[in-house]
């Protein structure tokens, strides 16, 4: 199991859809309204691999978000990796820090994925990457040292992230 967590409207469902666009048996629904995921959605990929799309935190978060997500993350022993999505346009926000602290507290292996890189200028994106990389290197222990900048629109970075997921789970088939 791997799960995707992040603020409302950070692009979790869109990223999952882009990652598995070549796997027609994985049907991912993306709402026209941002921040629409209110419950955990489970997607089976192949025989031994599940992706969990968590509801967003922050704006439009469901009332039971903390209980639902914290309990799941704390108790799920077969959770291989948590992918924490951060909007590359705005960087790490206060609510992201809370999610990072939760991953650190529960000693979860996690990865920071920068979404919406097609909406940032190259200069702004570089600045964000450097700031977040410094944060990861100096303030985290459980975070994978490499950031994954991606775009669900242009598919930039999708192949690399997909390969990483395959290495973590054993396969994507």
């Amino acid at each position: 199991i791997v799960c995707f967590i992040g603020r409302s409207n950070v692009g979790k469902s869109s990223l999952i859809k882009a990652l598995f666009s070549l796997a027609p048996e994985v049907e991912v629904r993306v709402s026209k309204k941002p921040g629409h995921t209110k419950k955990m959605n489970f997607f089976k990929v192949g025989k031994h691999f599940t992706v969990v799309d968590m509801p967003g935190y922050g704006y439009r978060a469901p009332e039971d978000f903390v209980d639902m997500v914290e309990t799941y993350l704390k108790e799920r022993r077969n959770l291989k990796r948590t992918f924490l999505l951060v909007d590359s346009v705005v960087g790490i926000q206060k609510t992201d820090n809370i999610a990072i602290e939760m991953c650190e507290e529960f000693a979860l292996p996690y990865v920071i994925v920068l979404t919406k890189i097609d909406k940032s200028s190259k200069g702004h994106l570089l600045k964000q990457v450097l700031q977040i990389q410094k944060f990861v290197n100096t303030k985290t222990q459980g975070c994978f040292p490499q950031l994954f900048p991606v775009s669900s629109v242009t598919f930039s970075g999708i192949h690399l992230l997909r390969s990483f997921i395959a290495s973590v789970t054993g396969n994507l088939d």
Side-chain angles (χ1 to χ4, degrees):
I1 295 178
V2 297
C3 75
F4 289 78
I5 189 169
R7 285 191 0 263
S8 287
N9 197 24
V10 76
K12 291 175 297 297
S13 300
S14 298
L15 176 59
I16 294 169
K17 187 173 179 89
L19 281 167
F20 300 104
S21 62
L22 299 175
E25 70 281 1
V26 182
E27 187 181 329
V28 182
R29 292 173 307 286
V30 179
S31 173
K32 299 266 186 272
K33 296 180 203 150
H36 203 69
T37 306
K38 298 294 179 207
K39 296 283 177 206
M40 291 186 279
N41 291 316
F42 296 80
F43 303 101
K44 200 110 176 97
V45 181
K47 294 176 185 151
H48 309 291
F49 172 45
T50 303
V51 172
V52 184
D53 182 6
M54 296 283 192
Y57 50 79
Y59 171 74
R60 291 184 54 97
E63 287 177 25
D64 59 348
F65 175 84
V66 173
D67 292 339
M68 176 179 25
V69 172
E70 198 172 284
T71 302
Y72 184 85
L73 293 176
K74 204 187 302 188
E75 296 176 2
R76 185 62 48 198
R77 296 284 161 247
N78 57 347
L79 181 62
K80 299 264 191 225
R81 194 75 46 145
T82 297
F83 292 87
L84 196 146
L85 279 56
V86 172
D87 186 329
S88 68
V89 178
V90 296
I92 294 176
Q93 303 291 294
K94 282 181 186 169
T95 49
D96 295 314
N97 275 319
I98 294 166
I100 290 166
E101 286 167 16
M102 190 168 57
C103 289
E104 292 284 336
E105 182 187 334
F106 300 155
L108 297 173
Y110 67 103
V111 178
I112 293 180
V113 178
L114 290 174
T115 61
K116 303 183 180 183
I117 62 169
D118 53 291
K119 293 193 165 120
S120 285
S121 69
K122 283 194 169 74
H124 180 75
L125 181 59
L126 180 60
K127 184 178 159 199
Q128 289 289 18
V129 167
L130 292 173
Q131 279 180 339
I132 295 169
Q133 191 66 63
K134 182 178 180 186
F135 173 86
V136 167
N137 293 345
T138 58
K139 308 264 193 245
T140 69
Q141 293 182 349
C143 188
F144 189 74
Q146 179 182 340
L147 302 176
F148 289 89
V150 298
S151 167
S152 301
V153 175
T154 66
F155 283 75
S156 178
I158 295 293
H159 183 71
L160 184 61
L161 182 57
R162 192 173 152 84
S163 297
F164 179 77
I165 293 169
S167 72
V168 168
T169 60
N171 72 347
L172 279 180
D173 302 323

